[in-house]
Amino acid sequence: MTIHQPPGQPLNTVDALVERGLVAPESREALGEVAKRYAVSVTPAIAALIDPVDEADPIARQFVPTPAELTTLPEELADPIGDEAHSPVEGVVHRYPDRALLKLVHACPVYCRFCFRREMVGPGGDALTGDKLEAALAYLTSRPEIWEVIMTGGDPLILSARRVREVAKRLAAIRHIKVARWHTRVPMVQPERITEDYARALRIPGKASYIAVHANHPREFTVDSQAALARLADAGHVLISQSVLLKGVNADIETLSALMRAFVENRVKPYYLHHPDLAPGTSHFRLSLAEGQALVKSLRGNLSGLCQPTYILDIPGGAGKIPVGPAFLSGCETPGAQGFAEDRHGDLHAYPPV
């Protein structure tokens, strides 16, 4: 399986990060222990966004390893959302009746320090090829209830345009699949990868095409990444967003609002805002559900309805995603009881009105 190598190599060792000035030389040994356990990679596009003198830089926090990753809490899990329990064949996760994941590759252009699959992805990870790919496609073909296939990994957009077209051709032949969705960070972290030809290659003939773009901070919307998003939209893909609510990155109303507006301004509809999963070594990113709900509540009424994501919790162990956003209506638990609707100022209004 061909993986594209863009101009400028990613920084994928602690020594490379030290040389670039993104981590202090005295941190080399401690971060070396982190790198032994979890993959490291920072693309040139992301490295250029990092302010090396800002110890709280939100871009660095997402991609540059820290010793905090060596602290694993008892509740943290190697497979926090239970992929393995719902994997009937290698490369397929079939958790919900009408959709399935197709994990085409286990590598990424960058490795997020909060990744829920951090125990499973990294350089040299097996790609889904040969008999394994055939078995995965045979499973999808055999299950007529599968209406949507979601290409993920790793990041499937590190595959070559030729390989993407091969996969697209195979999926196009499965008649009961009507929707194809690609999940990726590539437009934001390696935007030069998204040429007009590549954007066209991602189209699967006869299927509605969606691309879920992962970004967590408004600074990720550079001139180059915005151009990459435009090429995808102009090629006919519907763009939706995925973000993770992360302490020290976007867990404040100003940043979260700017992020959602940046998506909408670039023709990306906010879709999911994930509560951080219980992945090993990620406790320093997590905030409480109550804190997350308060942030999401403050978006409603203060930002356009186009800017409203669904706040999501992936239940540990594989039970699936549930919306955990704030409630704006109370008092209706008893049949026939009068309810109270809370407006954006926090004022309560009887419903039905008295």
Side-chain angles (χ1 to χ4, degrees), residues 172-201:
I174 304 176
R175 295 182 63 182
H176 57 263
I177 294 174
K178 303 299 183 182
V179 179
R181 191 192 331 166
W182 303 85
H183 280 210
T184 184
R185 285 209 87 165
V186 165
M188 314 309 290
V189 305
Q190 203 174 39
E192 70 277 7
R193 180 82 184 86
I194 309 298
T195 63
E196 290 184 2
D197 178 68
Y198 197 90
R200 289 192 297 269

Side-chain angles (χ1 to χ4, degrees), residues 97-142:
D98 74 339
R99 56 204 182 277
L101 304 182
L102 181 60
K103 297 197 289 187
L104 292 170
V105 65
H106 290 105
C108 298
V110 294
Y111 292 105
C112 305
R113 309 324 301 168
F114 50 87
C115 178
F116 67 98
R117 290 194 179 118
R118 64 194 329 229
E119 298 273 12
M120 309 169 195
V121 299
D126 290 340
L128 202 65
T129 57
D131 290 344
K132 294 178 181 179
L133 178 60
E134 292 301 323
L137 292 170
Y139 178 85
L140 298 177
T141 302
S142 71

Side-chain angles (χ1 to χ4, degrees), residues 15-347:
D15 286 342
L17 295 174
V18 171
E19 184 177 341
R20 182 63 183 264
L22 299 182
V23 299
E26 57 269 25
S27 302
R28 193 189 308 261
E29 184 175 350
L31 295 182
E33 294 302 311
V34 177
K36 288 178 183 178
R37 181 166 185 182
Y38 304 118
V40 173
S41 182
V42 179
T43 58
I46 288 298
L49 285 179
I50 294 173
D51 181 355
V53 301
D54 181 2
E55 294 183 359
D57 182 79
I59 307 299
R61 186 163 168 78
Q62 294 184 67
F63 303 105
V64 176
T66 67
E69 295 176 54
L70 296 176
T71 300
T72 301
L73 301 185
E75 64 267 25
E76 293 178 339
L77 305 167
D79 182 13
I81 68 168
D83 277 354
E84 188 62 33
H86 297 278
S87 185
V89 297
E90 186 171 344
V92 172
V93 178
H94 192 186
R95 180 178 287 107
Y96 304 102
D98 74 339
R99 56 204 182 277
L101 304 182
L102 181 60
K103 297 197 289 187
L104 292 170
V105 65
H106 290 105
C108 298
V110 294
Y111 292 105
C112 305
R113 309 324 301 168
F114 50 87
C115 178
F116 67 98
R117 290 194 179 118
R118 64 194 329 229
E119 298 273 12
M120 309 169 195
V121 299
D126 290 340
L128 202 65
T129 57
D131 290 344
K132 294 178 181 179
L133 178 60
E134 292 301 323
L137 292 170
Y139 178 85
L140 298 177
T141 302
S142 71
R143 303 302 293 263
E145 71 271 26
I146 296 178
W147 172 80
E148 177 183 23
V149 171
I150 301 162
M151 273 64 69
T152 182
D155 194 317
L157 268 61
I158 66 172
L159 300 176
S160 68
R162 178 188 64 81
R163 185 59 180 155
V164 165
R165 284 190 171 97
E166 290 175 358
V167 172
K169 182 179 179 180
R170 298 295 301 276
L171 291 174
I174 304 176
R175 295 182 63 182
H176 57 263
I177 294 174
K178 303 299 183 182
V179 179
R181 191 192 331 166
W182 303 85
H183 280 210
T184 184
R185 285 209 87 165
V186 165
M188 314 309 290
V189 305
Q190 203 174 39
E192 70 277 7
R193 180 82 184 86
I194 309 298
T195 63
E196 290 184 2
D197 178 68
Y198 197 90
R200 289 192 297 269
L202 294 166
R203 291 299 306 270
I204 297 179
K207 316 299 182 188
S209 181
Y210 287 75
I211 297 179
V213 179
H214 182 173
N216 294 318
H217 195 276
R219 270 172 45 202
E220 295 174 49
F221 288 81
T222 64
V223 170
D224 289 339
S225 64
Q226 291 181 76
L229 294 173
R231 286 191 286 273
L232 291 171
D234 290 345
H237 302 284
V238 178
L239 306 184
I240 58 177
S241 80
Q242 289 216 114
S243 302
V244 185
L245 191 57
L246 300 166
K247 188 183 297 185
V249 175
N250 55 23
D252 63 86
I253 187 58
E254 293 81 9
T255 303
L256 195 58
S257 297
L259 174 63
M260 295 304 145
R261 282 176 167 158
F263 278 128
V264 172
E265 290 165 10
N266 286 278
R267 293 183 279 175
V268 184
K269 175 64 181 79
Y271 178 49
Y272 276 167
L273 177 63
H274 291 268
H275 190 75
D277 294 311
L278 296 174
T282 63
S283 61
H284 53 294
F285 285 110
R286 287 196 294 276
L287 65 168
S288 70
L289 278 168
E291 290 172 312
Q293 288 172 330
L295 281 168
V296 173
K297 193 171 192 176
S298 64
L299 296 179
R300 178 61 61 179
N302 292 308
L303 291 184
S304 164
L306 292 173
C307 297
Q308 308 295 322
T310 300
Y311 188 31
I312 286 292
L313 174 69
D314 220 324
I315 301 171
K321 298 180 180 70
I322 57 168
V324 290
F328 291 87
L329 188 65
S330 60
C332 296
E333 295 80 6
T334 303
Q338 186 177 51
F340 292 90
E342 182 180 349
D343 66 24
R344 67 188 182 93
H345 303 293
D347 296 328

